[in-house]
């Protein structure tokens, strides 16, 4: 079975632009979470979606938004990009929120010039 | 707010040694704890998940323990191999029911190098 897939793998943007990152969960998984990992740090929680509804949000500004589609895939959108948004963006899926193990994709490396 | 600390930040040992990676957390209201491996430029690979009602989990040469009262988890790697070289991250899921939507709280990881 395919694991969590993310696209694109790499992306270069300039300050002020907008970006959309995509994630397809493992088949049968209905919960998707997004994390930001800055170089040298552990991942930080951005959003969790379950059954197409936002279930949780980390301490990120409103420039960050996300949604989940009927097929449980998800998009992360970031507006008005800043240099500090440069990071590896990771998507994780699980059967449902809570006590299930989370499975991560390889991430999207976003560089802001 | 949960904080997770991993010690040491980096570790280099010869092949064949047994080693222990440490993870501590500040809030004992932890629902489960998960250990991950991350290779350079890659995503996270789940290694072991310990539920709050469990004390340890084993998979092959890996053994992870959880002590909620002391706020600690350890990952034991037996007979280390060069292929074990990676960054190891621990992450806690908060809450008593696990249904909270706060996501996982990660440590900064331990960068492990196994010398051939």
């Amino acid at each position: 079975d395919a694991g969590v897939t993310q696209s694109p793998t790499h992306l270069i943007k300039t300050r002020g632009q907008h970006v959309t990152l995509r994630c397809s969960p493992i088949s049968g998984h209905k919960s998707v979470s997004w994390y930001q990992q800055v170089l040298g740090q552990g991942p930080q929680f951005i959003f969790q979606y379950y059954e197409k509804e936002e279930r949780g949000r980390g301490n990120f500004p409103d420039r960050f938004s996300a949604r989940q589609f009927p097929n449980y895939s998800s998009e992360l959108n970031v507006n008005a990009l800043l240099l500090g948004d440069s990071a590896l963006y990771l998507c994780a899926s699980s059967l449902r929120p809570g006590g299930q193990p989370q499975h991560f994709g390889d991430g999207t490396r976003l560089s802001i010039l | 707010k949960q904080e997770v600390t991993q010690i040491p930040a980096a570790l280099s040992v010869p092949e064949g040694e047994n080693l222990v990676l440490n993870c501590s957390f500040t809030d004992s209201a932890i629902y489960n704890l998960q250990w991950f491996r991350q290779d350079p430029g890659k995503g996270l690979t789940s290694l072991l998940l310990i539920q709050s009602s469990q004390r340890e989990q084993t998979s092959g040469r890996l053994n992870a323990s959880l002590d909620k009262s002391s706020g600690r988890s350890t990952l034991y790697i037996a007979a280390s191999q060069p292929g074990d070289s990676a960054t190891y991250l621990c992450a806690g899921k908060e809450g008593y029911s696990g249904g909270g939507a706060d996501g996982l709280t990660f440590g900064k990881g331990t960068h492990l190098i196994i010398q051939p």
Side-chain angles (χ1 to χ4, degrees):
Chain A
D1 284 341
V4 177
T5 57
Q6 293 186 242
S7 63
T9 55
H10 295 88
L11 202 52
I12 299 174
K13 293 285 188 178
T14 57
R15 283 177 297 174
Q17 286 190 311
H18 163 270
V19 68
T20 297
L21 311 181
R22 296 177 174 83
C23 171
S24 293
I26 291 172
S27 178
H29 285 193
K30 298 182 178 180
S31 178
V32 170
S33 298
W34 288 94
Y35 291 80
Q36 180 196 64
Q37 186 178 25
V38 174
L39 195 64
Q41 303 292 316
Q44 283 202 304
F45 172 68
I46 310 176
F47 284 111
Q48 181 183 79
Y49 275 77
Y50 178 61
E51 293 283 17
K52 301 178 287 293
E53 292 187 1
E54 180 181 311
R55 292 289 298 270
R57 181 182 186 123
N59 188 25
F60 280 80
D62 291 343
R63 299 185 296 107
F64 289 75
S65 64
R67 55 180 176 168
Q68 187 177 32
F69 298 98
N71 66 354
Y72 303 108
S73 66
S74 178
E75 283 182 354
L76 175 69
N77 297 283
V78 187
N79 294 324
L81 288 166
L82 303 173
L83 292 178
D85 296 331
S86 295
L88 180 67
Y89 288 84
L90 296 163
C91 173
S93 78
S94 58
L95 287 170
R96 55 186 179 275
Q100 303 298 317
Q102 294 203 21
H103 300 272
F104 283 77
D106 279 343
T108 293
R109 172 71 63 186
L110 176 62
S111 299
I112 310 300
L113 303 179
Chain B
K1 181 180 181 295
Q2 181 76 267
E3 292 184 7
V4 177
T5 304
Q6 292 189 244
I7 295 173
L11 184 62
S12 180
V13 299
E15 179 179 5
E17 283 200 6
N18 302 324
L19 52 97
V20 174
L21 307 183
N22 296 293
C23 171
S24 61
F25 44 93
T26 55
D27 189 346
S28 62
I30 194 164
Y31 188 71
N32 61 41
L33 190 132
Q34 198 165 355
W35 281 91
F36 295 90
R37 168 189 173 135
Q38 186 172 32
D39 292 290
K42 297 291 189 180
L44 278 60
T45 299
S46 178
L47 298 173
L48 291 164
L49 170 70
I50 312 174
Q51 303 289 358
S52 62
S53 58
Q54 299 173 322
R55 293 298 300 269
E56 63 179 300
Q57 283 286 329
T58 299
S59 176
R61 294 182 295 107
L62 305 179
N63 175 275
S65 66
L66 175 64
D67 184 343
K68 291 178 60 178
S69 61
S70 66
R72 292 182 181 181
S73 177
T74 60
L75 178 67
Y76 176 82
I77 303 176
S80 59
Q81 303 171 357
D84 295 330
S85 298
T87 296
Y88 290 81
L89 295 146
C90 68
K93 171 65 178 172
E94 293 183 51
Y96 292 103
S97 66
D102 292 332
L104 296 175
T105 302
F106 282 85
K108 292 183 179 181
T110 293
H111 181 57
L112 177 64
I113 296 175
I114 308 299
Q115 306 157 8

